[in-house]
Amino acid sequence: VFACCFQSAQATPLISVKMPGDTGNYTTTVGSLFDSNIYINSIADLGGFDFTLTYDSAKFSVQSFDSGSIFGAANTDTLAKTLAPGAVRLYEAILLSSPLTQGLNITAPTLLGTVHFKALGTVTNSVVDILVNANTPVLSTFAGDPVALSKVNAFVTVTPPAAVPLPASALLFAPGLLAVFGLRKQKAA
């Protein structure tokens, strides 16, 4: 008799920050607006999350942020949704009064939230980082147990706005003015 046991290996949950174009590196210009999406993947029993997204407040400002509402509006307890210079914190969990009996089974990248940024100053490779606080688990199961995870941050480069070239018609403006003043002088004489 030959017996074989197979155990499906659960991948380590991954939380990642993605910039426009679903990339980890993004280049934009001073004054522009852009979105940063936070995704979760590979967790069998997601009951809640608590993360802080950190950034350089001298180079970026957060205009607003939105939740992905993955638990559904009727099942979601939003205890914290705070905005401070250099940090955005979002906490959501399944309500105790929810009819759900288990956490979510996340097998594909799922949006946890979107942060809307404005670029304030030039910078090269500034990190937008998910802060893992030792006292607060970023992910937890339905029972509230912390879940180990890996994370992928994103990097943003901000460049000065491109110089706007003068149109050729602007070059004709000076000779036109000279012609007008020349005609006024001839009429005056």
Side-chain angles (χ1 to χ4, degrees):
V1 174
F2 180 73
C4 215
C5 294
F6 294 98
Q7 180 180 0
S8 66
Q10 173 69 28
T12 302
L14 174 68
I15 190 167
S16 59
V17 180
K18 297 285 186 177
M19 293 297 163
D22 203 27
T23 64
N25 290 302
Y26 181 64
T27 300
T28 189
T29 58
V30 172
S32 66
L33 301 173
F34 63 95
D35 292 343
S36 176
N37 293 320
I38 299 95
Y39 291 96
I40 184 66
N41 195 3
S42 303
I43 182 168
D45 186 26
L46 179 64
F49 57 87
D50 184 352
F51 65 85
T52 301
L53 194 70
T54 60
Y55 60 94
D56 184 348
S57 61
K59 305 299 180 186
F60 310 105
S61 71
V62 170
Q63 306 299 296
S64 63
F65 64 102
D66 305 311
S67 168
S69 299
I70 64 171
F71 302 117
N75 299 316
T76 301
D77 186 13
T78 303
L79 297 177
K81 190 174 180 182
T82 57
L83 205 64
V88 175
R89 180 175 179 224
L90 183 62
Y91 167 96
E92 289 183 5
I94 296 174
L95 274 168
L96 291 175
S97 61
S98 168
L100 298 177
T101 57
Q102 65 183 27
L104 301 179
N105 183 22
I106 308 288
T107 58
T110 302
L111 182 68
L112 294 180
T114 301
V115 181
H116 309 284
F117 283 102
K118 180 176 185 178
L120 301 176
T122 59
V123 64
T124 303
N125 284 338
S126 183
V127 66
V128 177
D129 180 27
I130 296 171
L131 180 65
V132 177
N133 184 337
N135 299 323
T136 306
V138 172
L139 304 175
S140 59
T141 64
F142 185 76
D145 298 323
V147 176
L149 65 95
S150 59
K151 64 177 184 163
V152 177
N153 296 319
F155 297 87
V156 180
T157 298
V158 181
T159 60
V164 178
L166 237 50
S169 60
L171 297 175
L172 297 174
F173 184 70
L177 275 177
L178 290 173
V180 168
F181 285 123
L183 287 174
R184 284 182 81 189
K185 281 188 176 185
Q186 283 180 355
K187 285 184 181 182

PDB file of all heavy atoms in Angstrom, residues 59-76:
ATOM      1  N   LYS A  59       7.981  66.573   0.341  1.00  0.00           N
ATOM      2  CA  LYS A  59       7.928  66.331  -1.106  1.00  0.00           C
ATOM      3  C   LYS A  59       6.534  65.994  -1.617  1.00  0.00           C
ATOM      4  O   LYS A  59       6.247  66.148  -2.793  1.00  0.00           O
ATOM      5  CB  LYS A  59       8.882  65.185  -1.484  1.00  0.00           C
ATOM      6  CG  LYS A  59      10.313  65.409  -1.033  1.00  0.00           C
ATOM      7  CD  LYS A  59      10.902  66.654  -1.660  1.00  0.00           C
ATOM      8  CE  LYS A  59      12.324  66.868  -1.198  1.00  0.00           C
ATOM      9  NZ  LYS A  59      12.891  68.107  -1.653  1.00  0.00           N
ATOM     10  N   PHE A  60       5.653  65.507  -0.716  1.00  0.00           N
ATOM     11  CA  PHE A  60       4.308  65.104  -1.104  1.00  0.00           C
ATOM     12  C   PHE A  60       3.301  65.579  -0.062  1.00  0.00           C
ATOM     13  O   PHE A  60       3.638  65.726   1.100  1.00  0.00           O
ATOM     14  CB  PHE A  60       4.187  63.578  -1.197  1.00  0.00           C
ATOM     15  CG  PHE A  60       5.244  62.919  -2.008  1.00  0.00           C
ATOM     16  CD1 PHE A  60       6.273  62.227  -1.400  1.00  0.00           C
ATOM     17  CD2 PHE A  60       5.225  62.985  -3.394  1.00  0.00           C
ATOM     18  CE1 PHE A  60       7.259  61.616  -2.148  1.00  0.00           C
ATOM     19  CE2 PHE A  60       6.204  62.380  -4.138  1.00  0.00           C
ATOM     20  CZ  PHE A  60       7.226  61.690  -3.520  1.00  0.00           C
ATOM     21  N   SER A  61       2.074  65.760  -0.496  1.00  0.00           N
ATOM     22  CA  SER A  61       0.973  65.959   0.450  1.00  0.00           C
ATOM     23  C   SER A  61      -0.138  64.998   0.050  1.00  0.00           C
ATOM     24  O   SER A  61      -0.290  64.661  -1.123  1.00  0.00           O
ATOM     25  CB  SER A  61       0.468  67.406   0.435  1.00  0.00           C
ATOM     26  OG  SER A  61      -0.228  67.685  -0.760  1.00  0.00           O
ATOM     27  N   VAL A  62      -0.877  64.551   1.045  1.00  0.00           N
ATOM     28  CA  VAL A  62      -2.002  63.667   0.770  1.00  0.00           C
ATOM     29  C   VAL A  62      -3.254  64.523   0.668  1.00  0.00           C
ATOM     30  O   VAL A  62      -3.572  65.292   1.572  1.00  0.00           O
ATOM     31  CB  VAL A  62      -2.154  62.589   1.863  1.00  0.00           C
ATOM     32  CG1 VAL A  62      -3.458  61.833   1.699  1.00  0.00           C
ATOM     33  CG2 VAL A  62      -0.986  61.630   1.822  1.00  0.00           C
ATOM     34  N   GLN A  63      -3.940  64.407  -0.440  1.00  0.00           N
ATOM     35  CA  GLN A  63      -5.172  65.155  -0.673  1.00  0.00           C
ATOM     36  C   GLN A  63      -6.358  64.462  -0.003  1.00  0.00           C
ATOM     37  O   GLN A  63      -7.199  65.111   0.589  1.00  0.00           O
ATOM     38  CB  GLN A  63      -5.425  65.289  -2.178  1.00  0.00           C
ATOM     39  CG  GLN A  63      -4.250  65.880  -2.942  1.00  0.00           C
ATOM     40  CD  GLN A  63      -3.907  67.284  -2.483  1.00  0.00           C
ATOM     41  OE1 GLN A  63      -4.700  68.188  -2.619  1.00  0.00           O
ATOM     42  NE2 GLN A  63      -2.731  67.464  -1.919  1.00  0.00           N
ATOM     43  N   SER A  64      -6.415  63.137  -0.108  1.00  0.00           N
ATOM     44  CA  SER A  64      -7.471  62.337   0.499  1.00  0.00           C
ATOM     45  C   SER A  64      -7.114  60.867   0.315  1.00  0.00           C
ATOM     46  O   SER A  64      -6.139  60.544  -0.358  1.00  0.00           O
ATOM     47  CB  SER A  64      -8.830  62.619  -0.160  1.00  0.00           C
ATOM     48  OG  SER A  64      -8.800  62.255  -1.525  1.00  0.00           O
ATOM     49  N   PHE A  65      -7.905  59.994   0.917  1.00  0.00           N
ATOM     50  CA  PHE A  65      -7.750  58.573   0.634  1.00  0.00           C
ATOM     51  C   PHE A  65      -9.073  57.862   0.803  1.00  0.00           C
ATOM     52  O   PHE A  65      -9.952  58.315   1.517  1.00  0.00           O
ATOM     53  CB  PHE A  65      -6.624  57.933   1.452  1.00  0.00           C
ATOM     54  CG  PHE A  65      -6.819  57.916   2.943  1.00  0.00           C
ATOM     55  CD1 PHE A  65      -7.225  56.771   3.593  1.00  0.00           C
ATOM     56  CD2 PHE A  65      -6.550  59.045   3.695  1.00  0.00           C
ATOM     57  CE1 PHE A  65      -7.382  56.747   4.962  1.00  0.00           C
ATOM     58  CE2 PHE A  65      -6.696  59.040   5.061  1.00  0.00           C
ATOM     59  CZ  PHE A  65      -7.119  57.890   5.708  1.00  0.00           C
ATOM     60  N   ASP A  66      -9.187  56.762   0.080  1.00  0.00           N
ATOM     61  CA  ASP A  66     -10.430  56.004   0.034  1.00  0.00           C
ATOM     62  C   ASP A  66     -10.168  54.558   0.422  1.00  0.00           C
ATOM     63  O   ASP A  66      -9.125  54.000   0.104  1.00  0.00           O
ATOM     64  CB  ASP A  66     -11.010  56.005  -1.389  1.00  0.00           C
ATOM     65  CG  ASP A  66     -11.192  57.407  -1.936  1.00  0.00           C
ATOM     66  OD1 ASP A  66     -11.763  58.243  -1.229  1.00  0.00           O
ATOM     67  OD2 ASP A  66     -10.748  57.655  -3.075  1.00  0.00           O
ATOM     68  N   SER A  67     -11.151  53.952   1.060  1.00  0.00           N
ATOM     69  CA  SER A  67     -11.072  52.541   1.408  1.00  0.00           C
ATOM     70  C   SER A  67     -11.536  51.694   0.236  1.00  0.00           C
ATOM     71  O   SER A  67     -12.381  52.115  -0.544  1.00  0.00           O
ATOM     72  CB  SER A  67     -11.963  52.268   2.618  1.00  0.00           C
ATOM     73  OG  SER A  67     -12.120  50.878   2.800  1.00  0.00           O
ATOM     74  N   GLY A  68     -10.984  50.490   0.138  1.00  0.00           N
ATOM     75  CA  GLY A  68     -11.448  49.541  -0.870  1.00  0.00           C
ATOM     76  C   GLY A  68     -12.714  48.820  -0.425  1.00  0.00           C
ATOM     77  O   GLY A  68     -13.349  48.123  -1.210  1.00  0.00           O
ATOM     78  N   SER A  69     -13.097  48.973   0.868  1.00  0.00           N
ATOM     79  CA  SER A  69     -14.304  48.359   1.450  1.00  0.00           C
ATOM     80  C   SER A  69     -14.411  46.875   1.107  1.00  0.00           C
ATOM     81  O   SER A  69     -15.451  46.409   0.646  1.00  0.00           O
ATOM     82  CB  SER A  69     -15.562  49.104   0.996  1.00  0.00           C
ATOM     83  OG  SER A  69     -15.518  50.434   1.420  1.00  0.00           O
ATOM     84  N   ILE A  70     -13.341  46.137   1.361  1.00  0.00           N
ATOM     85  CA  ILE A  70     -13.335  44.725   0.961  1.00  0.00           C
ATOM     86  C   ILE A  70     -14.268  43.846   1.791  1.00  0.00           C
ATOM     87  O   ILE A  70     -14.689  42.800   1.326  1.00  0.00           O
ATOM     88  CB  ILE A  70     -11.912  44.123   0.962  1.00  0.00           C
ATOM     89  CG1 ILE A  70     -11.317  44.120   2.360  1.00  0.00           C
ATOM     90  CG2 ILE A  70     -11.020  44.859   0.005  1.00  0.00           C
ATOM     91  CD1 ILE A  70     -10.012  43.354   2.445  1.00  0.00           C
ATOM     92  N   PHE A  71     -14.599  44.263   3.020  1.00  0.00           N
ATOM     93  CA  PHE A  71     -15.496  43.457   3.848  1.00  0.00           C
ATOM     94  C   PHE A  71     -16.962  43.766   3.563  1.00  0.00           C
ATOM     95  O   PHE A  71     -17.842  43.079   4.055  1.00  0.00           O
ATOM     96  CB  PHE A  71     -15.208  43.696   5.338  1.00  0.00           C
ATOM     97  CG  PHE A  71     -13.795  43.379   5.744  1.00  0.00           C
ATOM     98  CD1 PHE A  71     -12.954  44.368   6.229  1.00  0.00           C
ATOM     99  CD2 PHE A  71     -13.286  42.096   5.615  1.00  0.00           C
ATOM    100  CE1 PHE A  71     -11.661  44.083   6.593  1.00  0.00           C
ATOM    101  CE2 PHE A  71     -11.984  41.796   5.979  1.00  0.00           C
ATOM    102  CZ  PHE A  71     -11.161  42.795   6.465  1.00  0.00           C
ATOM    103  N   GLY A  72     -17.217  44.808   2.774  1.00  0.00           N
ATOM    104  CA  GLY A  72     -18.583  45.248   2.510  1.00  0.00           C
ATOM    105  C   GLY A  72     -19.000  46.271   3.556  1.00  0.00           C
ATOM    106  O   GLY A  72     -18.648  46.157   4.723  1.00  0.00           O
ATOM    107  N   ALA A  73     -19.729  47.276   3.150  1.00  0.00           N
ATOM    108  CA  ALA A  73     -20.096  48.381   4.036  1.00  0.00           C
ATOM    109  C   ALA A  73     -20.830  47.904   5.292  1.00  0.00           C
ATOM    110  O   ALA A  73     -20.589  48.410   6.384  1.00  0.00           O
ATOM    111  CB  ALA A  73     -20.943  49.392   3.273  1.00  0.00           C
ATOM    112  N   ALA A  74     -21.702  46.933   5.163  1.00  0.00           N
ATOM    113  CA  ALA A  74     -22.481  46.468   6.312  1.00  0.00           C
ATOM    114  C   ALA A  74     -21.649  45.653   7.294  1.00  0.00           C
ATOM    115  O   ALA A  74     -22.036  45.496   8.454  1.00  0.00           O
ATOM    116  CB  ALA A  74     -23.659  45.629   5.826  1.00  0.00           C
ATOM    117  N   ASN A  75     -20.506  45.137   6.855  1.00  0.00           N
ATOM    118  CA  ASN A  75     -19.678  44.277   7.707  1.00  0.00           C
ATOM    119  C   ASN A  75     -18.413  44.954   8.214  1.00  0.00           C
ATOM    120  O   ASN A  75     -17.630  44.329   8.920  1.00  0.00           O
ATOM    121  CB  ASN A  75     -19.259  43.021   6.928  1.00  0.00           C
ATOM    122  CG  ASN A  75     -20.441  42.210   6.491  1.00  0.00           C
ATOM    123  OD1 ASN A  75     -21.367  41.991   7.260  1.00  0.00           O
ATOM    124  ND2 ASN A  75     -20.435  41.772   5.247  1.00  0.00           N
ATOM    125  N   THR A  76     -18.193  46.209   7.856  1.00  0.00           N
ATOM    126  CA  THR A  76     -16.909  46.852   8.130  1.00  0.00           C
ATOM    127  C   THR A  76     -16.961  47.772   9.334  1.00  0.00           C
ATOM    128  O   THR A  76     -17.837  48.620   9.456  1.00  0.00           O
ATOM    129  CB  THR A  76     -16.448  47.668   6.905  1.00  0.00           C
ATOM    130  OG1 THR A  76     -16.343  46.776   5.802  1.00  0.00           O
ATOM    131  CG2 THR A  76     -15.106  48.316   7.139  1.00  0.00           C
TER     132      THR A  76
END
